[in-house]
Amino acid sequence: MHKLLLASAEVTGADYVFLDLGPSKSQLNATFLMSCDFILPPCFPDLYSVASVYALLSEDGLLQRWITQHAELVHNQRALNPPGATRRLLLTDDQRRHGFAMKLTFPKLLPFIVTNFDPPRLNIINKADAGFIYTLKNLIEQGCTHVPAAVKSLYIRSTDMVLPLLQHIGAVHKYSHQTGVPIVSMSAGAAHHARQTLRAP
């Protein structure tokens, strides 16, 4: 999969390839994730996101399981004939030559991007959203008791791993659907233009 991502970037001339994965623990998601260089996790300032972040980072969480799975796959991939293997995980010499082996390193974890909070007034985020953002920050950066060392080693830095970046964008979804302009292209100016266009008789 990593080989295909690199090839798609080369064909399109892209500097970065973003994979938008759904909130699922499926094997397909695991395969895509293990093929990436970085994980950029978005979250909302709400109870469900706090629970999801805990489920992702905790000792028996998804990341720890996927780290273990990745290590097993790489180990079996490197072995010529793993003893007692019940399923064939090895690549043929031709597949290995063409770069279709599992990526040897697990992706690093970028800061969690908090979106969909109410716009701050006078640069102050409202109390409810600030409380959830603080909880996420404490959970991710200070949660030494439940975040295993293997997961913490994925952090690209030890502080500022939670960034309240994007404010409430609920209306942008509506404008995007109604005007056909993709959300990724919907700048503040484009959103204002769409709003005026939709209001016009």
Side-chain angles (χ1 to χ4, degrees):
M1 187 61 67
H2 187 66
K3 169 78 172 182
L4 296 177
L5 295 176
L6 292 176
S8 66
E10 185 176 351
V11 168
T12 59
D15 294 319
Y16 302 95
V17 177
F18 287 87
L19 296 179
D20 187 8
L21 304 180
S24 165
K25 53 185 178 182
S26 69
Q27 189 56 50
L28 181 62
N29 266 11
T31 302
F32 275 118
L33 181 137
M34 286 187 270
S35 302
C36 294
D37 296 317
F38 297 98
I39 304 168
L40 179 64
C43 55
F44 291 168
D46 60 29
L47 186 61
Y48 297 107
S49 282
V50 172
S52 296
V53 169
Y54 181 85
L56 181 70
L57 300 179
S58 63
E59 193 169 353
D60 58 346
L62 281 179
L63 275 182
Q64 181 61 60
R65 276 183 270 167
W66 285 341
I67 290 170
T68 302
Q69 182 184 12
H70 177 265
E72 292 173 355
L73 288 169
V74 169
H75 172 76
N76 288 326
Q77 180 176 279
R78 284 173 165 164
L80 293 176
N81 292 293
T86 57
R87 38 185 191 160
R88 185 163 179 78
L89 296 172
L90 300 179
L91 298 170
T92 65
D93 289 339
D94 191 51
Q95 289 171 323
R96 197 185 302 273
R97 262 195 313 273
H98 286 87
F100 284 97
M102 171 65 69
K103 185 171 171 285
L104 298 181
T105 56
F106 198 84
K108 289 290 187 180
L109 192 60
L110 294 170
F112 287 70
I113 302 298
V114 183
T115 68
N116 221 42
F117 57 90
D118 286 333
R121 293 175 176 82
L122 301 177
N123 294 322
I124 299 175
I125 299 174
N126 75 49
K127 186 175 181 180
D129 289 343
F132 279 115
I133 292 170
Y134 175 80
T135 300
L136 287 167
K137 187 175 178 66
N138 187 59
L139 180 67
I140 294 163
E141 296 177 10
Q142 309 299 328
C144 301
T145 56
H146 66 268
V147 179
V151 172
K152 285 191 80 78
S153 70
L154 301 178
Y155 291 11
I156 63 162
R157 55 192 183 195
S158 58
T159 60
D160 296 326
M161 281 295 291
V162 177
L163 301 178
L165 185 65
L166 297 175
Q167 300 170 10
H168 181 70
I169 58 172
V172 175
H173 289 274
K174 178 180 72 173
Y175 299 144
S176 174
H177 285 293
Q178 291 177 334
T179 62
V181 178
I183 290 178
V184 293
S185 303
M186 187 69 78
S187 63
H192 176 75
H193 177 72
R195 197 160 51 237
Q196 297 303 317
T197 302
L198 293 172
R199 286 176 179 171

